Amino acid sequence: MSLIYLLVPFGSPLFDSLSLRQSEPFQVITWLTGNLSHSDGNHLFWNLAALLLLGFFIEQESRWLMLCALLVGFVAIDIWFFIQTRFQQYVGLSGALNTILVCALYTLRKPGHWLRGNEILWLVLLLAFAKNGYEYATHSALFSNTRWPTTPSFHIVGMLAGCGLVCLWWRLRFGKEN
C-alpha cells in the first residue's frame, strides 16, 4: 500500500486506473488495487496502523482467518461499490478493515460464554456500528479527515461481512462439536 501511494500519486492518470470506477466495472485488477490505493497520507497512515494492530491480533489465532478476512472484505466492498449509487470512484482499505475489526474482536474473545467476560469486545463492536451509523446519517467523518468524502456505507458493509465470516468460521471450527 505504501509503494502504491508513493509511486502512484493521487490525481495522476495511473491513480485513476487503479481505483474502482463505476464507469469500468469489469477491470478485475482494480477490484484489488482499489482497496490498496489511498487518496492521501492521512488515509494511508490510519489504514496501515489499523491493519497492523488488528492483523496482529488475528494472526495470533490464525493466518488463514486473516487471509479470509482480507478476501471477504475486499469482495464485499467491491460488490457493494457496484451496487451503491452515491460514489463513482473508490479507494482505500477502510471498508475491508471493518471486516478485519470484527474478526479481531472474535479472536480476542474469552472462550466459554458468548457474553460473560467479553463485554468490552461487545462494547467496541457496538461503538463501531454506532460510529458508522452516525457517519452514514450525517455524511461526515467522525475521527478522520481525508481528501475524499467518508464512505460509511462501505464501513457498515465491511462489518456485516465480518459478522458473516465470523459466524461461518465459528461453524466450521466448532460446528461438529455442538
Side-chain angles (χ1 to χ4, degrees):
M1 288 187 298
S2 296
L3 278 175
I4 290 172
Y5 178 74
L6 292 172
L7 297 175
V8 185
F10 176 79
S12 71
L14 189 53
F15 179 87
D16 287 340
S17 69
L18 293 181
S19 65
L20 285 170
R21 291 179 317 279
Q22 285 283 344
S23 61
E24 296 184 33
F26 301 109
Q27 297 294 324
V28 176
I29 190 69
T30 64
W31 287 50
L32 173 65
T33 59
N35 289 283
L36 300 176
S37 301
H38 288 80
S39 61
D40 57 62
N42 186 40
H43 189 203
L44 174 67
F45 173 79
W46 288 111
N47 279 330
L48 276 176
L51 178 63
L52 288 171
L53 180 65
L54 297 172
F56 172 79
F57 292 131
I58 295 171
E59 287 188 349
Q60 297 299 308
E61 179 163 323
S62 170
R63 286 191 178 177
W64 283 110
L65 180 57
M66 182 63 195
L67 289 172
C68 288
L70 280 169
L71 178 66
V72 167
F74 283 10
V75 169
I77 295 310
D78 294 344
I79 290 171
W80 176 246
F81 174 74
F82 291 108
I83 292 172
Q84 61 83 42
T85 57
R86 182 162 182 234
F87 297 98
Q88 297 302 305
Q89 193 171 9
Y90 179 82
V91 294
L93 188 65
S94 57
L97 273 174
N98 280 273
T99 304
I100 295 167
L101 169 65
V102 173
C103 293
L105 293 173
Y106 165 78
T107 64
L108 292 169
R109 80 203 179 288
K110 291 183 182 173
H113 192 272
W114 66 274
L115 180 59
R116 201 167 322 133
N118 296 309
E119 294 88 350
I120 296 296
L121 302 177
W122 284 104
L123 179 62
V124 169
L125 183 66
L126 178 65
L127 289 173
F129 267 116
K131 173 204 166 279
N132 291 332
Y134 171 83
E135 290 180 346
Y136 182 78
T138 64
H139 300 292
S140 63
L142 194 57
F143 298 116
S144 65
N145 184 18
T146 62
R147 209 175 246 147
W148 284 8
T150 187
T151 56
S153 67
F154 291 77
H155 301 165
I156 293 167
V157 166
M159 289 186 79
L160 294 173
C163 290
L165 176 59
V166 163
C167 289
L168 178 63
W169 190 266
W170 178 270
R171 180 76 176 135
L172 292 173
R173 188 160 179 215
F174 298 110
K176 294 177 182 151
E177 296 173 11
N178 295 334

